[in-house]
């Protein structure tokens, strides 16, 4: 009996191995930096250890099963954490630690990929994959104003279909609200790339739990010539009165970039525009340089209230010790340049920051 059971077990193992090959990959990033910020606390500067200057620290698992014939099963779960304390890096709309930032299962065929679960939306995909502020690292985690235009960057309960054919690629997403906040969505992305040139356009509409809608449109282009890479992007958000997504830019600008002050009137935003232009340059195989400028304006819903404007700038020098470990120096500035916007808590209209950090990918 024991011999028969052993034979059956060996046969089952060899049979499954013959038609399906699975792989499970553990991956992650650990990033920490020392940061100086001017006008941080009632007119005084601030020095702190931050849990990520260029990247949010994370730990994830990718699963792939090759089922033959061009078909693969896919799955991903990813946790974000603060490297200075070890705690989860975000809190969701219910005030609970948001442990899994991604959690989805998918199927890849010759016709494309379908993913189901919590995942990045098409607006985030446009920035991270094509319109990144820095080609070698999509954006600086400590200063990422473009992500404020992505209506939350992720949606729960999502079905996303992605395809690629030659230089043309795209995605469609749908997500059910299921009575939760900010998750009912529909949108798409279309990209064309040819040689050194790429252009992308995307649209997304998101309805919050109160039935209020927010929409976003992002269009941009990139051009690469040798070690130089340029990008130009225009993004716009529109909000229904009372939309819970009006303050979406706050978390991405953060206190360092003036987000909290910029959104003092978080429930009085009709339209928000952002123009972005940047360049990255690979000076040596190890050293990458980059800079990006962001011009933001925000129109209030209250009649007679002035439009607010914000000028943002960042620059990064990144030195790679190896394929996995790099050090970086980041500098940024925020400037309110209109009477219609609230100032920082200390009344200042400008703030600057400098971060020196270390990052390891595994």
């Amino acid at each position: 009996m024991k011999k028969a059971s052993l034979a059956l077990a060996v046969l089952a193992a060899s049979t499954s191995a013959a038609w399906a090959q699975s792989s499970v990959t553990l991956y992650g990033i650990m990033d920490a930096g020392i940061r100086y910020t001017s006008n941080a606390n009632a007119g005084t500067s601030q020095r702190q250890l931050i849990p990520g200057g260029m990247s949010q620290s994370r730990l994830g698992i990718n699963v792939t099963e090759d089922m033959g014939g061009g078909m693969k099963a896919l799955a991903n779960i990813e946790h974000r954490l603060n490297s200075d304390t070890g705690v989860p890096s975000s809190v969701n709309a219910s005030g609970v630690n948001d442990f899994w930032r991604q959690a989805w299962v998918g199927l890849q065929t010759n016709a494309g990929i379908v993913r189901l679960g919590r995942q990045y939306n098409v607006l985030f995909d446009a920035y991270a994959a094509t319109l990144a502020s820095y080609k070698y690292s999509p954006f600086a985690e400590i200063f990422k104003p473009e992500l404020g235009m992505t209506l939350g960057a992720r949606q729960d309960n999502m079905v996303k279909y992605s395809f690629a054919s030659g230089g043309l690629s795209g995605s469609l997403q749908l997500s059910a609200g299921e009575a939760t906040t900010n998750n009912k969505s529909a949108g798409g992305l279309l990209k064309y790339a040819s040689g050194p040139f790429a252009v992308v356009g995307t649209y997304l509409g998101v309805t919050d739990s109160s039935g209020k809608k927010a929409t976003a449109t992002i269009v941009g282009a990139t051009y690469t010539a040798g070690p130089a890479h340029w990008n130009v992007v225009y993004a716009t958000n529109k909000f229904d009165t009372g939309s819970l997504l009006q303050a979406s830019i706050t978390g991405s600008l953060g206190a360092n970039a003036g987000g909290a002050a910029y959104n003092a009137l978080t429930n009085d935003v009709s339209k928000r525009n952002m123009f972005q232009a940047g360049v990255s340059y690979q000076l040596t195989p190890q050293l990458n340089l980059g800079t990006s400028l962001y011009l933001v304006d925000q129109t209030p819903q209250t009649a007679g209230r002035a439009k607010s404007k914000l000028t943002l700038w960042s620059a990064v020098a990144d030195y790679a010790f190896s394929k996995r470990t790099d050090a970086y120096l980041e500098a940024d500035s925020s400037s309110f340049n209109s009477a219609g916007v609230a100032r920082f808590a200390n009344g200042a209209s400008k703030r600057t920051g400098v971060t020196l950090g270390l990052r390891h990918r595994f």
Side-chain angles (χ1 to χ4, degrees):
M1 185 65 180
K2 290 183 178 180
K3 290 182 179 180
S5 298
L6 179 60
L8 288 172
V10 171
L11 179 61
S14 61
T15 302
S16 62
W19 63 270
Q21 295 293 326
S22 296
S23 66
V24 179
T25 304
L26 180 71
Y27 69 92
I29 299 175
M30 290 301 294
D31 186 323
I34 300 169
R35 181 170 175 84
Y36 164 85
T37 308
S38 70
N39 288 324
N41 298 308
T44 63
S45 59
Q46 183 180 56
R47 294 164 180 82
Q48 58 188 146
L49 178 69
I50 61 172
M54 286 302 292
S55 298
Q56 222 174 40
S57 295
R58 68 199 67 184
L59 181 64
I61 298 173
N62 273 324
V63 180
T64 302
E65 181 187 19
D66 190 342
M67 297 182 289
M71 183 177 293
K72 295 181 180 179
L74 311 170
N76 173 263
I77 54 175
E78 185 179 283
H79 166 56
R80 300 295 178 94
L81 66 148
N82 291 327
S83 58
D84 57 342
T85 62
V87 302
S89 61
S90 67
V91 175
N92 65 24
S94 300
V96 179
N97 282 333
D98 193 2
F99 192 89
W100 295 116
R101 304 305 299 278
Q102 292 197 85
W104 55 263
V105 62
L107 186 66
Q108 178 178 329
T109 70
N110 293 328
I113 302 174
V114 176
R115 297 180 177 91
L116 298 87
R118 175 173 170 80
Q119 53 193 300
Y120 291 119
N121 65 29
V122 292
L123 304 174
F124 179 94
D125 291 343
Y127 276 119
T130 307
L131 305 175
S133 293
Y134 304 103
K135 185 180 180 182
Y136 51 89
S137 183
F139 36 77
E141 172 62 26
I142 193 61
F143 194 88
K144 50 184 182 181
E146 62 267 52
L147 291 199
M149 307 299 291
T150 62
L151 302 183
R154 302 171 182 83
Q155 264 79 47
D156 298 339
N157 314 311
M158 185 198 298
V159 177
K160 183 195 289 184
Y161 167 71
S162 303
F163 72 92
S165 178
L168 187 67
S169 60
S171 298
L172 294 172
Q173 79 165 73
L174 287 171
S175 54
E178 299 185 14
T180 59
T181 303
N182 307 340
N183 285 317
K184 185 177 181 181
S185 69
L189 176 153
L190 193 62
K191 173 184 174 180
Y192 178 75
S194 178
F197 176 78
V199 59
V200 62
T202 184
Y203 171 87
L204 182 66
V206 180
T207 304
D208 64 28
S209 60
S210 65
K212 303 297 184 180
K213 190 171 183 179
T215 63
T217 302
I218 298 173
V219 294
T222 65
Y223 183 80
T224 302
H229 176 80
W230 290 270
N231 72 317
V232 178
V233 189
Y234 175 77
T236 184
N237 293 170
K238 296 180 181 179
F239 305 95
D240 285 348
T241 301
S243 167
L244 299 177
L245 284 161
Q246 291 181 90
S248 59
I249 202 169
T250 306
S252 298
L253 288 177
N256 294 309
Y262 186 63
N263 286 279
L265 303 173
T266 54
N267 295 317
D268 191 36
V269 183
S270 172
K271 185 178 181 181
R272 179 183 295 127
N273 302 308
M274 176 181 287
F275 172 79
Q276 173 189 345
V279 60
S280 298
Y281 192 88
Q282 187 170 353
L283 190 62
T284 73
Q286 291 78 34
L287 182 60
N288 285 282
L289 307 175
T291 186
S292 197
L293 176 69
Y294 315 85
L295 304 177
V296 185
D297 67 78
Q298 186 166 271
T299 302
Q301 291 169 340
T302 301
R305 183 168 285 163
K307 178 183 290 189
S308 55
K309 296 182 180 180
L310 183 62
T311 300
L312 307 167
W313 167 86
S314 66
V316 176
D318 184 278
Y319 185 84
F321 294 109
S322 67
K323 290 183 179 180
R324 298 184 179 273
T325 304
D326 60 318
Y328 55 84
L329 178 64
E330 181 268 352
D332 56 73
S333 70
S334 307
S335 176
F336 300 119
N337 48 24
S338 69
V341 68
R343 298 296 190 255
F344 293 106
N346 58 13
S349 61
K350 294 183 179 180
R351 176 173 287 172
T352 59
V354 179
T355 305
L356 177 64
L358 184 66
R359 173 174 55 177
H360 180 79
R361 304 176 180 90
F362 60 90

